[in-house]
Structures are given as C-alpha cells and as structure tokens.
C-alpha cells in the first residue's frame, strides 16, 4: 500500500509539472513571434511593489508584483516561438489566487491582457481564437478579451 502511495505521489508531481511550462525563476527568456520576452527579478523591490520586469526585445512590456510566477506558452516545441503566453502572477503568495494575464504576440503591437485575479490555473489549452483555462475543476474560455465559463475541451488522440 505504501509503495502504491509513493508511486501515485510521484505521478501526480510529474503530471502537474507537465502542464506548466515553468515556474518562473529570477530570469526567464521566452522566444516569441515578436522577439525575446525576458522576465527578470528586480534587484530591490520597487516602491510600487514591482518584483519582476517583463521586457520584449529590451523594451518594457509588463510588470509582475508577486514573489513568483508561472507561465504557459502555446509553443509546441523548443524551436517554435510562442505566439501567446499565459502568466500567473502570485501577488499574495501561495495562499491567494494569482493574477492571470495573456501576452498576445500575434497583435501589432503585442499586448498584455488581464484575464482574471480570481483563478488559480491548473491547465491551459489553446485554440486559434481562444484560450481555455482550467481552475478548480471548472473550465473557462478567454475569447475577445472576455472570460466566461465553458465546456471542457474535447479529448484529442495522443
């Protein structure tokens, strides 16, 4: 029984990590369709609470206020640049729900769109026109800058 519990725990960690592209560190560089997105921890927390600066090709793009962040890209491989990135900014730490944004690099100029500050995202799925987000067993669709409840995505053949 103990062995099965350990195997289950191991698999849950493997599966949980497979959805998030990364838990942000002190510096991340993400190749996007619009260039390099860099998320860098500021040396000293700014007076307005900024803890990370996000820049696109060296120019200011967004700011994060939490102690850490997680991001998901729509890129299907390491050699393919992302056209969209969902970022969770854990402003209140692990105890509060993060602020969730969509970075859309298909737009000219690229934009950072707020999605919600009430979702703790478990999974992200991408369609051409929307982003599907799973949080607490419920699915939501972010389409045309609006978040709404949706049906779970259809299973795809692996």
């Amino acid at each position: 029984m103990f062995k099965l519990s350990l195997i289950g725990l191991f698999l849950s960690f493997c599966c949980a990590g497979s959805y998030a592209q990364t838990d942000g560190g002190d510096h991340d560089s993400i190749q996007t369709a619009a260039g390099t997105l860099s998320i860098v921890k500021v040396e000293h927390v700014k007076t307005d609470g900024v803890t990370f600066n996000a820049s696109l090709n060296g120019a200011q793009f967004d700011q994060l206020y939490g102690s850490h962040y997680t991001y998901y890209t729509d890129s299907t491989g390491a050699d393919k640049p992302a056209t969209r990135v969902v970022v969770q900014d854990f402003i209140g730490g692990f105890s509060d729900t993060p602020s969730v944004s969509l970075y859309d690099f298909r737009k000219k100029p690229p934009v950072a769109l707020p999605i919600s500050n009430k979702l703790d995202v478990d999974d992200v799925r991408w369609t051409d026109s929307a982003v599907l987000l799973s949080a607490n067993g419920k699915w939501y669709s972010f389409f045309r800058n609006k978040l709404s409840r949706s049906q779970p995505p259809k299973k795809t053949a692996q």
Side-chain angles (χ1 to χ4, degrees), residues 28-49:
D28 277 305
S29 292
I30 305 162
Q31 293 306 312
T32 75
T36 302
L37 174 69
S38 296
I39 303 175
V40 179
K41 187 169 189 161
V42 297
E43 192 170 315
H44 301 286
V45 176
K46 296 185 178 179
T47 55
D48 62 356

Side-chain angles (χ1 to χ4, degrees), residues 42-136:
V42 297
E43 192 170 315
H44 301 286
V45 176
K46 296 185 178 179
T47 55
D48 62 356
V50 171
T51 54
F52 292 91
N53 282 321
S55 60
L56 183 61
N57 298 322
Q60 181 70 34
F61 183 70
D62 194 18
Q63 296 178 317
L64 305 176
Y65 295 87
S67 59
H68 66 286
Y69 61 93
T70 301
Y71 68 87
Y72 304 79
T73 69
D74 67 350
S75 178
T76 56
D79 59 335
K80 185 173 184 212
T83 58
R84 294 172 289 177
V85 177
V86 168
V87 177
Q88 289 188 107
D89 183 5
F90 290 86
I91 296 169
F94 286 106
S95 61
D96 293 334
T97 54
S99 173
V100 182
S101 299
L102 172 66
Y103 295 172
D104 193 343
F105 301 103
R106 301 171 303 172
K107 306 247 187 225
K108 303 287 187 234
V111 294
L113 303 167
I115 293 176
S116 174
N117 60 1
K118 298 178 183 178
L119 292 180
D120 191 357
V121 176
D122 302 320
D123 191 5
V124 175
R125 305 288 173 90
W126 306 93
T127 69
D128 289 339
S129 59
V131 178
L132 303 174
L133 307 159
S134 172
N136 297 321

